[in-house]
Amino acid sequence: MIGLQTRANPTIGHMRKLVADGFVGEVLSASVIGSGITWGEELEDAFRYTLDPSNGASMVHVPFAHTMDALAFALDDDFLSASGTLVTRRATTRIVESREVVPLAVADQIAFTGRLGSGALVTSHFRGGLSRATNFHMEINGSKGDLLLTSPVGYVGLGGFNLSGAQAGENLHPIPVPGDFGPDDKCPDWQRQETVRTPCLRHFVRYTPKADVRKCRQTASADQCGRKERRGFPRYLSRCALVLSAPLERKSCRSGK
C-alpha cells in the first residue's frame, strides 16, 4: 500500500489533463529515471529506519512507488504486467552524525519494466543517493507528441518540476501549469523561496525560511504546514512550505486538490 499524495501535485494533474486532451496522442511508452536521495553513500541517523526492510520504508516503498503511482495517474492507466530487478550495490552506508558504517540491507538499484492496459511500455531505473547528472526524468512518448518532466531532486513527492513538451515538428518547449492547478503566479512576497543548505537532504534545495513557515501556519492547517518532524524529516518539506514546489492555499492543503 502506498500514499497517493503525489496525485495532488499541480504539475502531475496538468500532465494528466494534457494526456487526456490528446497532447501526446496514443501513449506508446514512458521512461523514468530517479534518484532515491537516501540509500547512498551516507544518510542522517534519523533515516536509519529506512535501512531495515521490515519497516517498509525503502527506496522501493517510497520514492519509486510514489513515482510509479504518479505516472499511472498522469496516464490514467493501470499496469497489466510488471517485472523488476532489485540490486544492492553498496554493501554499507555511513551515518552522517557519528560516521558509523552500517550495513545497507535494502536495494539501492531498481530496474523496472511494465506494460499498461493500453499496451504502452514503461521502463524505470532508480538509484540510491543523488546523481551528479540526472536526478529525475519522466518522459511520455506518444504518437503525436512528447511530454518531459524533470526535477533537480529525485523524489516526485518534493516537486520542483520543470514540464516541457512538443508536438509534430516543434522543438521541446516549456509548458506552464495553469493557475487552477496551483497558485504559482499568486504567491505573496513572503512565500518567495531562497536556496539554503539542509542537513536532512545533504543537497541544495529550495524551501521557505522558518519565518515564513510561521506565516504558512496562518494560511494553512498547522498539521500540513507547521514544522512538525517525523523521524527527523520536516513535514513542511513536502507540502505547503514550498520545497521545490508551489505553496498550496488553505483550501488546497486540506482537500489535496
Side-chain angles (χ1 to χ4, degrees):
M1 184 172 66
I2 62 171
L4 306 178
Q5 61 264 38
T6 54
R7 301 185 181 195
N9 186 285
T11 309
I12 298 297
H14 188 43
M15 288 181 70
R16 178 183 172 95
K17 184 177 187 303
L18 288 170
V19 171
D21 289 346
F23 183 92
V24 301
E26 181 184 4
V27 177
L28 304 176
S29 66
S31 307
V32 179
I33 295 176
S35 295
I37 306 176
T38 314
W39 309 285
E41 181 180 354
E42 59 180 17
L43 80 163
E44 286 72 26
D45 189 66
F47 292 100
R48 188 191 291 256
Y49 75 100
T50 67
L51 304 179
D52 184 347
S54 66
N55 285 330
S58 70
M59 187 164 64
V60 173
H61 298 90
V62 185
F64 172 76
H66 283 304
T67 300
M68 289 299 102
D69 175 68
L71 175 63
F73 179 73
L75 297 177
D76 192 20
D77 207 343
D78 294 315
F79 285 95
L80 283 183
S81 62
S83 62
T85 302
L86 303 181
V87 175
T88 304
R89 292 290 293 139
R90 293 182 175 90
T92 61
T93 187
R94 185 173 59 252
I95 303 299
V96 172
E97 295 86 348
S98 65
R99 315 308 290 172
E100 176 189 2
V101 176
V102 296
L104 184 60
V106 294
D108 62 354
Q109 301 289 326
I110 303 171
F112 171 86
T113 302
R115 186 170 179 235
L116 298 174
S118 64
L121 176 70
V122 174
T123 60
S124 178
H125 178 205
F126 262 73
R127 305 80 57 91
L130 285 167
S131 170
R132 298 170 183 83
T134 302
N135 278 307
F136 188 83
H137 177 112
M138 178 186 289
E139 183 174 341
I140 299 173
N141 173 245
S143 60
K144 295 182 180 179
D146 302 280
L147 288 173
L148 174 63
L149 184 66
T150 60
S151 171
V153 180
Y155 177 32
V156 70
L158 290 182
F161 294 133
N162 292 305
L163 178 62
S164 55
Q167 292 178 306
E170 295 178 335
N171 293 323
L172 198 67
H173 56 82
I175 298 179
V177 178
D180 57 349
F181 281 94
D184 291 354
D185 57 349
K186 302 176 184 177
C187 300
D189 291 340
W190 61 264
Q191 285 181 323
R192 291 178 181 173
Q193 301 167 331
E194 66 178 33
T195 301
V196 297
R197 179 81 173 177
T198 66
C200 69
L201 292 184
R202 308 293 292 178
H203 185 66
F204 282 98
V205 299
R206 297 165 66 83
Y207 78 107
T208 302
K210 293 180 182 178
D212 293 344
V213 172
R214 289 195 292 272
K215 294 180 181 179
C216 186
R217 289 195 183 105
Q218 300 169 11
T219 306
S221 57
D223 62 338
Q224 291 288 354
C225 294
R227 187 171 184 169
K228 293 186 177 182
E229 298 190 5
R230 179 178 180 272
R231 297 185 185 272
F233 193 87
R235 186 173 296 181
Y236 69 82
L237 283 180
S238 63
R239 293 291 290 178
C240 302
L242 275 187
V243 181
L244 302 170
S245 183
L248 302 178
E249 296 173 340
R250 183 184 183 93
K251 179 179 179 181
S252 299
C253 282
R254 291 179 173 176
S255 66
K257 295 181 180 179

